[in-house]
Amino acid sequence: METLARKLIARAAGQSEVTTGDVVVCDVDLAMIHDSGGPRRVKPMLERLGRNVWDKDRVVVISDHYVPADSDETRAIQALTRQWVQDEHIDNFYDEQGICHVVLPERGHLAPGMFCVGGDSHSPTGGAFGAYMFGVGATEMAGVLATGSIWLRVPETILIEWDNHLGSYVTAKDMMLAVCGRIGMGGGRYQAIQYAGSAVRDLSMQERMTLSNMAAELGAQAGLIAPDDLTVAFVNEAGGTLSDDWRDYRIEIADDPADHLLFDAAALSPQIAAPHSPANAADADEFSDTNFDVAYIGACTGAKYVDLAAAASVLKGRRIASGITLKVAPASRQDQDRAVRDGVMKILEDAGAQFLPNSCGICAGYGDDRLAEDDVCLSSTARNFKGRMGAPGSRVYLASPYTVAASAVVGRMRDPRDLMGN
Amino acid sequence: MPRLWRFDETIDTDVLAPGKYMKSPLAEIAAHCLEAVRPDFAVSVGSGDVVLGTANFGVGSSREQAAEVLRHLGIAAVIAPSFAGIFYRNAINLGLPVFTLPDDLYQHPGLADGAELIFDFDAAALTLTASGEVLTLDPLPVFLRDMILDGGLIPHLEKRFQADIEEKGVS
Ligand code: SF4
């Protein structure tokens, strides 16, 4: 039986169908790179090959990791990025406009049916738009940029089905932490995940992006969601181009891939994952009253407009507890502007939030703003590996923006429903 | 005589290329390859040696150095019941032979740590020196085999572009 993953791969491979385990060569519709893994790494390899990018209009460059550039080394990386973009005549360059996985769809670069690669491990985010998108290393990216194609072993498919509907203050982030808790970080074994079910269809596009984004935490290659009217509305508003056949990219639950995991959204509680793995997730209740110092609303996973609005709905008319620092790094300039317009940023500010630039910020731990030794952070990001966000002795717990905001108000970790009543 | 290095624990990218040395040159990272589980590995390993691991070999980050160090140390092939996806791709793109093997073969008593053997890339097979027995691994798809033979993706593309130039008579 056809799965959405195989349909997308077959299209890119120019075949009527493909079989799991086949190695095929696919045409790439779009390649995205950022300042860290991008120009500075691929430039020497392209020079060795004597090639320029195969199609400048299919390459998108986004500076987000070394933003703000706060050292000579990072300023040099930004300068190299800007120069390379000019040399290659690439128009699709977003310089300090936000995090790549969020900027890419908001500027209309993704649409159902596409086959895309990204030079970043959270590239499965693109799957939320019904596109096959996955992350590659710098050598592979150089190959893609030189040829416009890439080899792929057609992966097995896992179906993750969410029945029923989420309760109040329970989000896509909680869904993913629960899946990580159940099947672990190697649970994806480089398969293509397909998300389906009523609770997935209920989600806004930005929440769907969180599901696809964290397919990376499961060890999957891709995290696909079938396009629907919401997808179409998003793509149109972003100025993207829809192909007529977008309705063909469906997920049939009856296709029944070998692995089919069923979850009940109605039974899901807000989740918290303890250091140092997303797989250490459990009901937020189990961490009730755990101390922490820094509340972080950031990253492609947890600081999109919907995430900022979720935090604001908890923080409205409240202030964070003394002893807690709340840092917010809105995922993109566009999302931040929207949050300014409708008062979300004002609510966060009045609650005591400090704002960071629209970039990877503390999530990547690349800049000066990092966690200090012994800091305990409750974070809306995707990963809590040891030392990732700062000093080796820092500890990171993962949760949804609701849970981070409510815990910041209480001063201890909490199920947001305790604060908000339910 | 080349030997087998058998690992019965999960080998992740941090064990292969420890984060602490990631800023250093490749040779330095390689000197610490697998030291967390086998301190003598980097100093004792010889050209032609084979690594046998457990399922999901190379799980972890996307760092290419995890595969690059094994090639640098002269490992002829990495063999495991299964590989983490990004590691598998990186290995092939860097020209490091990676092969899966069927479960019953994985249980073969001849595949003990330290066993002397010869790896044959073309035949995708191991010959056990002690018994002379030939163990056949899962064959690689031709496309991937050719890429490894060329030394990885970049040399493979160099060769392809060169062929294009010769064919068309232009540069
Ligand atoms: S915000 Fe974090 S997870 Fe997202 S791309 Fe940046 S570093 Fe990666």
Side-chain angles (χ1 to χ4, degrees):
Chain A
M1 262 271 196
E2 213 41 4
T3 65
L4 175 56
R6 288 202 286 272
K7 196 176 284 179
L8 290 165
I9 292 168
R11 189 202 135 264
Q15 299 180 11
S16 58
E17 57 177 32
V18 292
T19 309
T20 299
D22 282 359
V23 171
V24 293
V25 176
C26 293
D27 285 339
V28 173
D29 294 311
L30 178 131
M32 178 198 71
I33 52 179
H34 57 56
D35 51 348
S36 176
R40 70 185 181 124
R41 303 284 312 278
V42 297
K43 183 175 182 275
M45 293 188 252
L46 286 171
E47 282 167 358
R48 176 171 165 195
L49 291 170
R51 291 277 154 146
N52 294 97
V53 299
W54 95 103
D55 183 345
K56 71 175 187 70
D57 295 325
R58 294 185 182 278
V59 179
V60 179
V61 183
I62 299 172
S63 287
D64 58 359
H65 276 60
Y66 291 111
V67 174
D70 50 20
S71 67
D72 288 346
E73 214 178 352
T74 50
R75 275 187 287 274
I77 293 171
Q78 298 299 3
L80 184 150
T81 305
R82 291 182 190 121
Q83 187 60 49
W84 184 80
V85 162
Q86 237 178 42
D87 294 346
E88 294 284 344
H89 310 290
I90 292 167
D91 299 325
N92 303 315
F93 176 41
Y94 302 99
D95 199 1
E96 309 195 359
Q97 296 294 303
I99 304 163
C100 57
H101 307 296
V102 178
V103 171
L104 193 68
E106 80 179 15
R107 304 302 173 107
H109 292 291
L110 293 178
M114 289 174 73
F115 184 92
C116 314
V117 296
D120 187 274
S121 64
H122 282 100
S123 300
T125 310
F129 298 85
Y132 199 93
M133 184 158 183
F134 62 106
V136 298
T139 303
E140 289 229 74
M141 184 53 83
V144 169
L145 293 176
T147 64
S149 62
I150 189 167
W151 67 271
L152 186 88
R153 178 190 165 276
V154 180
E156 286 81 16
T157 302
I158 307 180
L159 180 67
I160 294 185
E161 187 186 355
W162 280 92
D163 253 1
N164 289 320
H165 306 280
L166 292 173
S168 314
Y169 304 104
V170 188
T171 66
K173 177 66 176 290
D174 300 301
M175 294 162 84
M176 285 313 295
L177 289 176
V179 178
C180 288
R182 172 131 132 216
I183 68 176
M185 287 214 49
R189 302 246 316 274
Y190 217 50
Q191 287 111 324
I193 291 176
Q194 303 192 158
Y195 298 104
S198 45
V200 174
R201 280 195 303 278
D202 287 346
L203 297 174
S204 68
M205 286 312 294
Q206 286 199 327
E207 284 234 80
R208 292 179 189 182
M209 286 163 66
T210 305
L211 290 191
S212 296
N213 176 279
M214 288 190 69
E217 273 52 57
L218 299 173
Q221 183 176 46
L224 307 172
I225 298 173
D228 59 12
D229 293 339
L230 262 189
T231 322
V232 168
F234 187 105
V235 171
N236 282 333
E237 202 189 318
T241 314
L242 274 172
S243 67
D244 295 337
D245 61 354
W246 69 268
R247 278 188 189 79
D248 296 347
Y249 298 103
R250 289 185 305 262
I251 291 172
E252 310 277 3
I253 292 183
D255 290 355
D256 195 22
D259 288 305
H260 181 170
L261 301 170
L262 185 62
F263 291 82
D264 180 5
L268 182 66
S269 293
Q271 302 283 301
I272 291 179
H276 298 285
S277 167
N280 296 338
D283 288 357
D285 255 357
E286 294 187 23
F287 298 92
S288 218
D289 285 336
T290 306
N291 277 311
F292 69 103
D293 315 291
V294 180
Y296 187 55
I297 308 265
C300 50
T301 319
K304 302 180 288 297
Y305 174 80
V306 284
D307 304 309
L308 303 175
S313 73
V314 169
L315 292 170
K316 192 172 169 112
R318 296 189 165 92
R319 273 199 66 84
I320 56 170
S322 67
I324 300 283
T325 311
L326 171 62
K327 296 189 181 190
V328 179
S332 77
R333 181 74 57 86
Q334 198 164 298
D335 277 359
Q336 177 173 310
D337 288 348
R338 183 171 164 203
V340 167
R341 280 199 304 276
D342 67 7
V344 161
M345 290 295 275
K346 180 81 171 71
I347 294 171
L348 300 177
E349 191 187 339
D350 290 346
Q354 302 168 18
F355 296 110
L356 304 182
N358 309 126
S359 66
C360 294
I362 309 180
C363 178
Y366 281 13
D368 273 349
D369 210 332
R370 319 169 76 228
L371 297 179
E373 196 67 26
D374 298 330
D375 268 354
V376 178
C377 177
L378 182 63
S379 174
S380 68
T381 55
R383 283 188 180 154
N384 55 349
F385 300 161
K386 202 170 192 312
R388 174 178 169 89
M389 291 172 65
S394 57
R395 295 162 59 79
V396 178
Y397 290 76
L398 303 174
S400 77
Y402 284 123
T403 304
V404 174
S407 302
V409 168
V410 175
R412 306 273 176 92
M413 292 184 200
R414 274 299 158 82
D415 182 324
R417 299 174 302 189
D418 292 353
L419 184 72
M420 306 303 290
N422 195 23
Chain B
M1 178 63 76
R3 58 161 287 187
L4 183 72
W5 295 84
R6 183 181 176 117
F7 296 91
D8 289 319
E9 55 277 269
T10 304
I11 300 298
D12 63 35
T13 50
D14 278 294
V15 176
L16 291 163
K20 198 170 149 197
Y21 305 102
M22 284 295 290
K23 288 199 178 94
S24 314
L26 189 68
E28 173 75 11
I29 309 174
H32 299 278
C33 175
L34 289 163
E35 73 181 359
V37 293
R38 197 76 72 84
D40 63 327
F41 179 76
V43 282
S44 315
V45 72
S47 179
D49 285 3
V50 171
V51 167
L52 175 64
T54 57
N56 214 9
F57 189 97
V59 63
S61 84
S62 61
R63 63 185 68 152
E64 295 184 329
Q65 290 88 338
E68 224 171 347
V69 287
L70 292 171
R71 199 191 54 182
H72 180 87
L73 291 168
I75 292 297
V78 182
I79 295 165
S82 66
F83 290 89
I86 298 184
F87 178 87
Y88 187 78
R89 295 191 71 92
N90 286 342
I92 289 176
N93 288 318
L94 291 164
L96 174 73
V98 277
F99 286 86
T100 54
L101 80 179
D103 260 355
D104 52 330
L105 194 56
Y106 180 71
Q107 308 297 344
H108 194 286
L111 292 178
D113 185 53
E116 294 189 343
L117 42 67
I118 303 285
F119 170 70
D120 180 344
F121 181 80
D122 292 327
L126 298 167
T127 305
L128 299 175
T129 312
S131 61
E133 202 175 343
V134 178
L135 310 177
T136 310
L137 308 167
D138 298 332
L140 275 182
V142 177
F143 178 82
L144 301 186
R145 206 197 61 188
D146 289 350
M147 186 155 11
I148 291 174
L149 276 177
D150 287 342
L153 177 64
I154 299 295
H156 178 74
L157 289 176
E158 263 182 324
K159 197 168 137 184
R160 198 175 103 195
F161 293 157
Q162 197 54 41
D164 285 354
I165 291 167
E166 276 157 22
E167 198 171 299
K168 293 183 194 129
V170 291
S171 71

